[in-house]
Structures are given as structure tokens and as C-alpha cells.
Amino acid sequence: MAGLFAGTVRPAIMAAARWEGLRRTAERMPVTRRVVGRFVPGETIDAALGSVAALRGSGRYVSVDFLGEDVSDADGADAAVRVYLDLIDRLGRCGEGGDGVRPLEVSLKLSALGQALERDGEKIARENAFAICDAAQRAGVWVTVDAEDHTTTDSTLSIVRDLRADFPWLGTVLQAYLRRTLGDCAEFATAGARIRLCKGAYDEPASVAYRGRDEVTDSYLSCLRVLMAGSGYPMVASHDPAVIEAVPAIASDSGRVAGDFEYQMLYGIRDGEQRRLAGGGNQVRVYVPFGSQLYGYFMRRLAERPANLAFFVRALAGR
């Protein structure tokens, strides 16, 4: 089933994610809103902060993401920056900054900050990300730069390297299904960076990415060993039981204890497992998205796991 899903269903879902007509239809369907509500707490900062408070009350950390990517003009990028500055200001008022691991974080996509603009896109995205990081530093909030499809990786990592000169706490995401990622992990682990390691959620060609489930898992564990052996701060972003089961031994082999790394999971997925890990003394961070651009995020969640697709189909059947 998993092989069939990866080989046929997942590419179909990712193609559907790019179909504008389907997006408009899906967003108008009440059932879509109900199911998306499992993964996205709402469209506003207030909705996100309500979930943040509940998660912090259960001892979990959070990373808040304003949904949106691939902006097509500078005004759209400026609008995203304004939302992030407002969000960071309000997170800063929670008074949870300080030294060490920061419980509050924002995640951002550089394509939402202008990276893909034809004229000076990379420069604009770098400047916008700098403004967000500067505000976050003053507020005691962390920032992690999300990964997107493989065509953006070189640009994204170049911007991250530049920003880390001023904000060494800045984190970034590496995707284990990309064939290049083991080398990227070695670089950033040596540099002492915070790295969120995920498997990857885009439909990438076999020339640049591992396609089989077992290949991706093997790559993930190899990358994780490199990160754990380095001087940075690994963030284990996975819901895979095989990965989670392997983490304690990998950490122990590298001389790490629970405070030297963290687990990360998505809002609405494996909540019981999140609570179990946190209750066992581990650091667990939950990725909390909000905003009106729900469709692309929702489709990637469907593409990642057959169980998510089955959940949606059951909801449709119950209309």
C-alpha cells in the first residue's frame, strides 16, 4: 500500500494541489473546512495563539507558521512580513524568552517573503527575513526557515548562511529525501546550527530525491546520526514510529541527553504520541499553522500519509 501510495496517489495529490480550479472548489466546501480544522486551528493570529496557549499548558513547545508561499509581488511579501512582525510582538508578550531553548518559535517560507520575484527576489527575501529575525531576537522568539521544493534549496541555504552571521540561533529545515541532504547535514552540524530534519513533502524527481519509503527512512536516520554527532541542535521532525523508536539510541551514541535535541510534530497529528514523549521528559515542539491559504498545506498533509487521505475520505462520506 505504501509503495502504491508513493508511486501513484501521492503525485496525483501534489498535482491537484497546483490545480487552481480545484483549490477554489475545495475551499468552498464545508467538509474541507471541517477536515482542515484538524490540521489548522484557524485563519487569524488569535486562533493560532489560542492553540499556542493550550500546547504550552501541556508542556509542549510551539512553532507558528503563517500559511502562504510563492508570492508574486513585493506587496504580497510586505504583507507577510507585517503579519510575522505582529505575531512575533504578541508571542514576545508571553514572556517566555531568555537563554537556552526557546519555547516559542515562528517558521517562515522564503518564497512568502519574495524569494521567487523576478527582480531581486533573493535580496528582497533576505532583507525581509532579516527584519523578522531582528524582531524575533528582541522578543526572545526563535525563527526557523522552512524548506520548499528542491529548486529553492541553494538559494534558501545561501540566505540562511548569511543570516546566521547576525542570528546564530536561526534554524533551517533539511529534507532527508533529497540526495544532497547528507552533505548539507554535515555542513550545518559542523557549524553548530539548529536543524529541523524532516522527510520531505514535495513531489520531487528521482534524479534529486529518494522515492521509496525505506530509502527515505534510511536516509533520514543517516542524516540524523550526522546531526546528533555534530555541535548543533537537532530537531527530529517525524511522525514515523520507526524513526521515533530509533532516536534514543542515536542520541545516546552521540552523548546527547533529552535537553540536547527535540522532537517535532504537526498540529493535529499523533497528539497522543506528542503527549507521551513530552510526559517522558523529552522536548516536543508542535508546528502550528494559521492563515487563509489552507489548501496547499492541507494537500501536502494528505500526500505525506495514507492515513490522512483516509481521514478526509471518511469525512466526505459522512457529509
Side-chain angles (χ1 to χ4, degrees):
M1 171 63 184
L4 175 64
F5 186 83
T8 59
V9 179
R10 178 177 177 176
I13 291 174
M14 296 310 294
R18 298 186 291 270
W19 185 1
E20 185 66 16
L22 182 58
R23 180 190 67 78
R24 289 194 298 268
T25 299
E27 288 180 344
R28 289 195 297 266
M29 294 170 60
V31 65
T32 302
R33 291 280 174 172
R34 289 202 307 272
V35 178
V36 169
R38 171 181 174 175
F39 306 112
V40 182
E43 298 187 8
T44 66
I45 291 178
D46 283 339
L49 292 181
S51 294
V52 167
L55 290 164
R56 290 297 299 125
S58 69
R60 286 171 281 183
Y61 300 161
V62 293
S63 186
V64 187
D65 172 40
F66 175 53
L67 292 173
E69 54 193 274
D70 296 326
V71 300
S72 57
D73 55 63
D75 288 342
D78 289 343
V81 172
R82 288 194 297 272
V83 172
Y84 271 106
L85 295 180
D86 188 11
L87 171 63
I88 288 167
D89 176 66
R90 296 183 63 178
L91 288 172
R93 295 181 213 168
C94 297
E96 293 200 78
D99 298 329
V101 176
R102 298 180 184 176
L104 305 179
E105 176 192 74
V106 299
S107 291
L108 55 87
K109 288 182 169 60
L110 293 179
S111 72
L113 305 184
Q115 184 182 31
L117 299 182
E118 289 187 10
R119 174 175 289 185
D120 295 329
E122 188 168 316
K123 177 176 180 290
I124 291 169
R126 182 185 293 105
E127 292 172 350
N128 284 336
F130 186 97
I132 291 170
C133 289
D134 186 53
Q137 181 157 278
R138 287 183 275 109
V141 175
W142 266 348
V143 177
T144 289
V145 175
D146 272 330
E148 301 182 64
D149 72 79
H150 80 278
T151 64
T152 68
T153 303
D154 283 332
S155 171
T156 295
L157 295 185
S158 174
I159 291 172
V160 167
R161 292 184 192 100
D162 289 346
L163 292 172
R164 289 193 71 247
D166 293 289
F167 310 105
W169 46 262
L170 178 68
T172 195
V173 177
L174 296 176
Q175 301 178 101
Y177 70 167
L178 294 181
R179 298 178 185 273
R180 63 173 287 167
T181 297
L182 188 63
D184 291 331
C185 284
E187 174 195 343
F188 283 95
T190 300
R194 284 195 311 117
I195 295 297
R196 177 191 298 157
L197 182 66
C198 69
K199 286 190 174 181
Y202 294 85
D203 184 29
E204 302 285 17
S207 58
V208 300
Y210 300 109
R211 303 279 294 184
R213 181 184 63 179
D214 291 342
E215 283 184 307
V216 174
T217 300
D218 289 345
S219 176
Y220 190 103
L221 295 175
S222 295
C223 290
L224 183 58
R225 290 186 184 96
V226 169
L227 294 177
M228 288 285 191
S231 59
Y233 181 76
M235 300 178 285
V236 186
S238 179
H239 307 101
D240 185 344
V243 168
I244 293 168
E245 183 178 347
V247 169
I250 295 174
S252 178
D253 289 345
S254 300
R256 290 182 180 264
V257 296
D260 296 332
F261 67 95
E262 66 184 47
Y263 296 90
Q264 294 192 356
M265 294 189 186
L266 299 171
Y267 177 84
I269 298 182
R270 301 202 72 191
D271 185 75
E273 180 67 356
Q274 295 175 21
R275 292 175 181 273
R276 183 190 72 81
L277 289 168
N282 298 288
Q283 297 177 148
V284 178
R285 192 178 304 271
V286 182
Y287 186 93
V288 180
F290 77 98
S292 59
Q293 296 189 36
L294 310 172
Y295 182 72
Y297 178 82
F298 174 54
M299 295 300 279
R300 286 194 294 276
R301 299 295 76 78
L302 291 184
E304 283 176 341
R305 296 178 66 240
N308 294 342
L309 179 60
F311 181 88
F312 184 51
V313 170
R314 286 196 300 272
L316 286 174
R319 291 181 65 192

